[in-house]
Amino acid sequence: MKELEEHIIREYDLEVNKGRMDQVRRNMKKSLIYNAYFGLVMCFISAAYLYLWLSFTNAGIRQSNLIDEEIETVIHFPFCGVTFFVCPFIAVLSYLADSFLYKKFNVISWWLYLGMLIFGITDMMFHYAPMNTLNGLIIIFYSAAGMWMEDFAIRSYPELDELVKCEGFPDFNPMLEIPRHSKYVKYRKKWLEKNKALDYYTDDERPIEEYNVTPADNSSAMDGVSVDNDKSEMWFEGKDPKAPKPPNSMMEELSGEGMELPPASDYIVEDVRKKPL
């Protein structure tokens, strides 16, 4: 009964952790799509918009100088002047953060978005780099949405750090074979190495590390390895010699006492067909 209860609890924990892990995956995917993929698209849009803006303003300045040199030309600063230089860094950082599950890259991207947001708000207030209303709103909304999406990933790391300690990470499905190249598998391996949890030996099974090496006389021979006499048994058997030895086979546990057969008369019945009529 106890084993059944433990099995039910284990299956329940796997199911709950699987739901938590699915939510972490969704958050990471949302952050990757907006900050890396859409950020890369934003880079190309900004480059094209910046090229058109430079071409248009140069033509307008030359034309105004020909008509009237005293007329001042008002040039509005475009949003792409900021996104063209910032978005490539955010896209690269977000992609690396998702590939290697490195939280600091997401935090750096979040601060870059915050810088753009502050720039957009203050510029609309003080006009130190004059932008029209539409360009200012584009920077504000784009950077605010970017901070929100980066926050999806940042808030998922504490949950991921809890799940990495649980059985079945990352898929929490005992019937599913986890591919070795999975980034979540590598994340668990890092956690195991950090917490020194890769030591699978028990005290009785730990290999002997104290041994003597005798260098070979020539390069074609092998070095000699020896251990002390009191540790020789531990060297070959890999356990404490004082510990009780397990039985070599199951036959030693069997005993024939009380298993004698009853007299033949108790279980052998003569065939009546052989009796004379």
Side-chain angles (χ1 to χ4, degrees):
M1 190 66 181
K2 183 179 180 181
E3 293 181 357
L4 179 60
E5 292 178 356
E6 292 177 352
H7 178 74
I8 294 174
I9 294 173
R10 177 176 177 271
E11 293 294 330
Y12 176 78
D13 291 340
L14 288 174
E15 189 65 25
V16 171
N17 291 335
K18 185 177 183 299
R20 295 167 62 190
M21 190 65 197
D22 290 341
Q23 184 63 44
V24 170
R25 292 179 192 270
R26 285 193 293 268
N27 291 344
M28 294 291 187
K29 189 174 182 180
K30 290 176 185 177
S31 178
L32 177 68
I33 290 174
Y34 184 86
N35 299 302
Y37 298 154
F38 183 70
L40 187 62
V41 173
M42 196 68 174
C43 294
F44 290 106
I45 294 175
S46 300
Y49 193 101
L50 188 62
Y51 173 78
L52 295 175
W53 177 78
L54 290 173
S55 301
F56 175 77
T57 52
N58 289 339
I61 292 173
R62 289 195 299 268
Q63 186 65 23
S64 63
N65 289 334
L66 289 175
I67 296 175
D68 188 356
E69 296 182 357
E70 296 181 358
I71 297 177
E72 295 183 359
T73 303
V74 178
I75 301 175
H76 292 284
F77 189 80
F79 75 91
C80 59
V82 178
T83 56
F84 177 73
F85 296 101
V86 179
C87 286
F89 293 101
I90 294 177
V92 172
L93 288 173
S94 298
Y95 179 78
L96 293 176
D98 183 80
S99 299
F100 301 100
L101 297 176
Y102 200 57
K103 182 179 178 180
K104 289 184 179 180
F105 289 158
N106 295 107
V107 174
I108 294 173
S109 299
W110 189 89
W111 282 103
L112 290 175
Y113 278 122
L114 179 61
M116 281 199 299
L117 179 63
I118 294 175
F119 172 81
I121 294 174
T122 56
D123 184 73
M124 293 189 70
M125 295 173 59
F126 303 107
H127 301 287
Y128 51 82
M131 289 187 294
N132 56 35
T133 305
L134 179 61
N135 281 262
L137 291 177
I138 289 175
I139 289 183
I140 292 173
F141 284 114
Y142 175 73
S143 56
M147 292 176 63
W148 184 36
M149 290 299 173
E150 287 291 359
D151 189 61
F152 269 109
I154 293 172
R155 286 187 290 108
S156 297
Y157 280 100
E159 185 79 355
L160 189 62
D161 291 336
E162 290 296 325
L163 291 172
V164 75
K165 306 173 185 177
C166 302
E167 178 192 2
F169 181 87
D171 294 294
F172 299 101
N173 188 346
M175 303 301 294
L176 180 64
E177 183 179 357
I178 305 172
R180 293 295 93 190
H181 61 273
S182 171
K183 61 185 178 184
Y184 295 106
V185 173
K186 294 178 182 178
Y187 190 81
R188 176 173 171 81
K189 185 177 179 181
K190 279 188 188 176
W191 176 81
L192 290 173
E193 292 175 349
K194 181 179 179 181
N195 293 274
K196 298 180 180 180
L198 285 178
D199 190 1
Y200 301 109
Y201 292 107
T202 63
D203 294 336
D204 294 338
E205 297 175 344
R206 191 174 307 281
I208 304 303
E209 299 180 356
E210 298 179 6
Y211 54 88
N212 303 318
V213 178
T214 305
D217 297 334
N218 52 67
S219 58
S220 60
M222 296 179 61
D223 296 338
V225 180
S226 61
V227 294
D228 298 336
N229 292 331
D230 56 342
K231 296 183 179 179
S232 59
E233 188 176 357
M234 296 175 63
W235 174 266
F236 291 105
E237 296 186 8
K239 60 181 181 179
D240 188 358
K242 299 180 181 179
K245 296 183 178 180
N248 294 331
S249 64
M250 295 181 62
M251 298 300 297
E252 296 182 5
E253 299 180 2
L254 300 178
S255 175
E257 184 178 356
M259 299 179 64
E260 295 82 3
L261 293 175
S265 59
D266 293 347
Y267 61 89
I268 296 178
V269 179
E270 296 182 359
D271 191 350
V272 295
R273 292 174 298 177
K274 296 181 180 181
K275 292 183 178 182
L277 296 175

Coordinates of all heavy atoms in Angstrom, one line a residue, residues 171 173-180 185:
D171 N 11.6 17.2 -19.1 CA 10.3 16.8 -19.7 C 9.3 16.2 -18.7 O 8.1 16.2 -19.0 CB 10.5 15.8 -20.9 CG 11.3 16.5 -22.0 OD1 10.7 17.4 -22.6 OD2 12.4 16.1 -22.3
N173 N 8.6 13.2 -18.0 CA 7.9 12.1 -18.6 C 8.8 10.9 -18.6 O 9.8 10.9 -19.4 CB 7.5 12.5 -20.1 CG 6.6 11.4 -20.7 OD1 6.4 10.3 -20.1 ND2 5.9 11.8 -21.8
P174 N 8.6 9.9 -17.8 CA 9.5 8.7 -17.7 C 9.5 7.9 -19.0 O 10.5 7.2 -19.2 CB 8.9 7.9 -16.5 CG 7.5 8.3 -16.4 CD 7.4 9.8 -16.9
M175 N 8.5 8.1 -19.9 CA 8.5 7.3 -21.1 C 9.2 8.0 -22.3 O 9.3 7.4 -23.3 CB 7.0 7.0 -21.5 CG 6.2 6.3 -20.4 SD 6.9 4.7 -20.0 CE 6.7 3.9 -21.5
L176 N 9.6 9.2 -22.0 CA 10.2 10.0 -23.1 C 11.7 10.0 -22.9 O 12.2 10.4 -21.8 CB 9.7 11.4 -23.1 CG 10.2 12.4 -24.2 CD1 9.8 11.9 -25.5 CD2 9.7 13.8 -23.9
E177 N 12.5 9.7 -24.0 CA 13.9 9.8 -23.9 C 14.4 11.2 -24.2 O 14.0 11.8 -25.3 CB 14.5 8.8 -24.9 CG 16.1 8.8 -24.9 CD 16.7 7.8 -25.8 OE1 15.9 7.1 -26.5 OE2 17.9 7.7 -25.9
I178 N 15.1 11.8 -23.3 CA 15.6 13.2 -23.5 C 16.8 13.2 -24.4 O 17.7 12.5 -24.2 CB 16.0 13.8 -22.1 CG1 14.8 13.7 -21.2 CG2 16.4 15.3 -22.3 CD1 15.1 14.1 -19.7
P179 N 16.7 14.1 -25.5 CA 17.9 14.2 -26.3 C 19.1 14.8 -25.6 O 18.9 15.7 -24.8 CB 17.4 15.1 -27.5 CG 16.2 15.8 -26.9 CD 15.6 14.9 -25.9
R180 N 20.3 14.4 -25.9 CA 21.4 14.8 -25.2 C 21.8 16.3 -25.5 O 22.5 16.9 -24.7 CB 22.6 13.9 -25.5 CG 22.5 12.5 -25.0 CD 22.5 12.4 -23.5 NE 21.2 12.5 -23.0 CZ 20.9 12.6 -21.7 NH1 21.9 12.8 -20.8 NH2 19.7 12.6 -21.2
V185 N 18.8 20.0 -20.6 CA 19.7 19.0 -20.1 C 21.0 19.5 -19.7 O 21.6 19.2 -18.7 CB 19.8 17.8 -21.1 CG1 20.8 16.8 -20.6 CG2 18.5 17.1 -21.4

